Amino acid sequence: MIKRITTSTLLAAVLTLAGTSVAFADPSQGWELPAMSVPAAHVISQGEGVTVAVIDTGIRTGHPVLEGRATEGPDFLQANDKSQSWYGEHGTAMASSILDVAPEAKVLGLRVVRDEDDPNYRGGSMTNPDALSQAITYAADHGADVISMSIGSRVLWGGFNERDLKAIDYALSKGVVLVGAVGNLGDKSDGGDNAISYPSAYPGVITVAASTPDGSRASFSSVHSYIDIAAPGVSVYEADYRSSGRTSGEGTSAACALAAGVSALIVSKYPDLTPRQVERVLEGTASHASRGYSAETGYGVINAEAALQAAAKLTPEKKVAIGEAGTGLHFGPGDDGTPKTYSQGVDFFKAGVAAVGALMTLLTMLGGFWLFKSGRRAQRQGSGSGEPRGPVAYPQYVQQPVLPQQNPYQQPAPPPGQWPPRQ
């Protein structure tokens, strides 16, 4: 999972004193909704008739923020621990952010990873390697219109799974919008290595970075050329699994959930738009779309109201089925305009380590070649064998004088005074 949660002492005290008051179900205390123009967007759409699948750590359907609007689907870890105190921490928070943006939508919780407080947590790795592909396929087959994936691999050069990619293609072919968090590995001072993270890196997934109140990238948000948009990712007012209230969270997880909520608003109002068109209206109306693309925040922070207004002007495209011509590009039937590469400068430390490693490898290869040649030379010289020595590995021969050759058809010369020769 991709998570960063912080809780202030003051907020914790407020939550304790307030108990289960209605105020906890009200997201108005957060800054994130106004930053995305969600209150104005609610005049147009509130997510009616849309189901958002939350592929995460499971959800607590009885939490006051979720109650009546959430259901729990299969546990793809095939565990039996829903009654545990730590169950559904991350997923519940994500579901609450989705419902804050799309209050009339429904959420479907699908568990594929464990929470950090789970005693069986192993760094976010999946105990069932097929959990994600199974969950995506299940969501697509059970009425999900949007899939929110605030999860991610933490392997520098790994995480890609062909079955996951096929499941994503399947969901896209059915018109399901998929949203993913880019990851929290962008802060080198905090140990981040900016690794590529799946599922957000798969083609067809709308990738979301985390932004601050001024619209810039949150320091932890990873930087990649496949980022599409940004959404608030610090001090987000989300459900607290430990109580019936809310807490302050941060991370690209929260940004992803908020973006999934905005996607639900669009799909609710314009259900015939393809996932690619939903992505394009989000990008085209984001905060710095007119200024161009950035690998830090994509096209900028989402503007839900502007996205809905832009979506009203679109003619729905034909959905592209798996295997048809045009699939396999950056997104669906065509390129979404995102640059394939983006210069991030040089990490001189890593470049230096790589150069030293390459030099050592070269020296090792040269040393091995020298030893090989030396061995061959010793073999040719036959050290201590009494055989002739020389630069060639073959026996040496003494050159013999060459005798004049005789023509077999030539008669021998007659003795002096005899002519003609005797026959």
Side-chain angles (χ1 to χ4, degrees):
M1 93 195 100
I2 300 176
K3 163 193 171 184
R4 292 174 66 100
I5 294 181
T6 57
T7 307
S8 67
T9 303
L10 177 61
L11 180 58
V14 171
L15 294 179
T16 302
L17 293 173
T20 60
S21 68
V22 178
F24 283 128
D26 180 11
S28 61
Q29 296 185 42
W31 67 277
E32 58 271 18
L33 301 190
M36 298 187 298
S37 300
V38 170
H42 281 169
V43 177
I44 306 172
S45 173
Q46 295 193 23
E48 301 89 343
V50 170
T51 297
V52 181
V54 183
I55 295 181
D56 211 286
T57 67
I59 59 176
R60 290 178 172 269
T61 57
H63 194 285
V65 179
L66 277 61
E67 196 168 15
R69 299 182 290 171
T71 57
E72 183 87 276
D75 182 347
F76 291 97
L77 299 183
Q78 300 175 344
N80 186 25
D81 46 18
K82 290 184 179 181
S83 62
Q84 298 298 324
S85 60
W86 36 258
Y87 181 87
E89 171 188 2
H90 191 261
T92 300
M94 298 306 102
S96 72
S97 292
I98 292 168
L99 293 173
D100 287 347
V101 176
E104 296 297 325
K106 304 290 185 182
V107 294
L108 169 65
L110 300 173
R111 189 189 191 206
V112 299
V113 292
R114 297 180 181 275
D115 282 293
E116 291 185 8
D117 292 335
D118 187 331
N120 292 315
Y121 177 74
R122 297 292 182 271
S125 61
M126 295 182 183
T127 53
N128 173 13
D130 294 326
L132 180 58
S133 60
Q134 292 171 354
I136 292 172
T137 303
Y138 180 93
D141 287 340
H142 288 79
D145 304 287
V146 178
I147 294 177
S148 179
M149 300 179 289
S150 293
I151 56 177
S153 59
R154 298 186 180 186
V155 183
L156 184 59
W157 297 115
F160 177 88
N161 185 311
E162 187 174 353
R163 291 183 295 275
D164 294 343
L165 181 58
K166 288 181 178 179
I168 288 170
D169 286 343
Y170 175 71
L172 290 171
S173 73
K174 298 192 71 171
V176 180
V177 176
L178 295 100
V179 187
V182 71
N184 302 324
L185 301 172
D187 189 350
K188 292 183 180 180
S189 65
D190 193 33
D193 57 11
N194 203 51
I196 293 174
S197 178
Y198 295 93
S200 66
Y202 288 119
V205 177
I206 300 174
T207 303
V208 189
S211 63
T212 62
D214 66 3
S216 62
R217 178 183 72 94
S219 61
F220 54 79
S221 187
S222 298
V223 179
H224 292 293
S225 62
Y226 55 83
I227 291 173
D228 296 297
I229 49 173
V234 297
S235 302
V236 175
Y237 198 49
E238 58 194 22
D240 181 9
Y241 83 107
R242 294 163 295 189
S243 70
S244 56
R246 290 180 179 262
T247 188
S248 178
E250 66 174 19
T252 57
S253 282
C256 170
L258 293 169
V262 175
S263 299
L265 298 181
I266 299 171
V267 172
S268 171
K269 186 68 175 178
Y270 307 105
D272 294 329
L273 296 182
T274 62
R276 176 170 173 259
Q277 289 180 298
V278 173
E279 181 195 62
R280 286 204 166 173
V281 296
L282 290 173
E283 293 175 342
T285 57
S287 60
H288 60 72
S290 60
R291 299 198 307 270
Y293 181 84
S294 162
E296 293 188 349
T297 54
Y299 291 96
V301 179
I302 292 174
N303 185 322
E305 180 188 24
L308 283 164
Q309 292 171 345
K313 303 174 184 178
L314 296 178
T315 301
E317 295 176 344
K318 177 185 175 181
K319 295 180 177 66
V320 178
I322 298 174
E324 289 188 7
T327 59
L329 300 176
H330 189 71
F331 194 101
D335 185 3
D336 68 354
T338 302
K340 298 297 185 297
T341 58
Y342 189 88
S343 175
Q344 293 302 314
V346 178
D347 185 330
F348 290 101
F349 174 76
K350 289 185 177 179
V353 171
V356 171
L359 180 60
M360 292 178 65
T361 301
L362 178 61
L363 292 174
T364 302
M365 292 175 64
L366 290 174
F369 180 74
W370 181 83
L371 289 173
F372 173 76
K373 294 292 289 184
S374 298
R376 290 294 301 270
R377 186 178 300 115
Q379 183 181 11
R380 289 195 302 268
Q381 293 174 349
S383 176
S385 65
E387 296 178 354
R389 299 179 183 180
V392 197
Y394 299 101
Q396 296 191 359
Y397 299 94
V398 177
Q399 188 173 12
Q400 301 295 330
V402 179
L403 297 175
Q405 294 184 350
Q406 293 183 346
N407 188 335
Y409 302 101
Q410 181 179 351
Q411 295 293 331
Q418 178 180 327
W419 188 261
R422 283 180 271 192
Q423 298 298 321

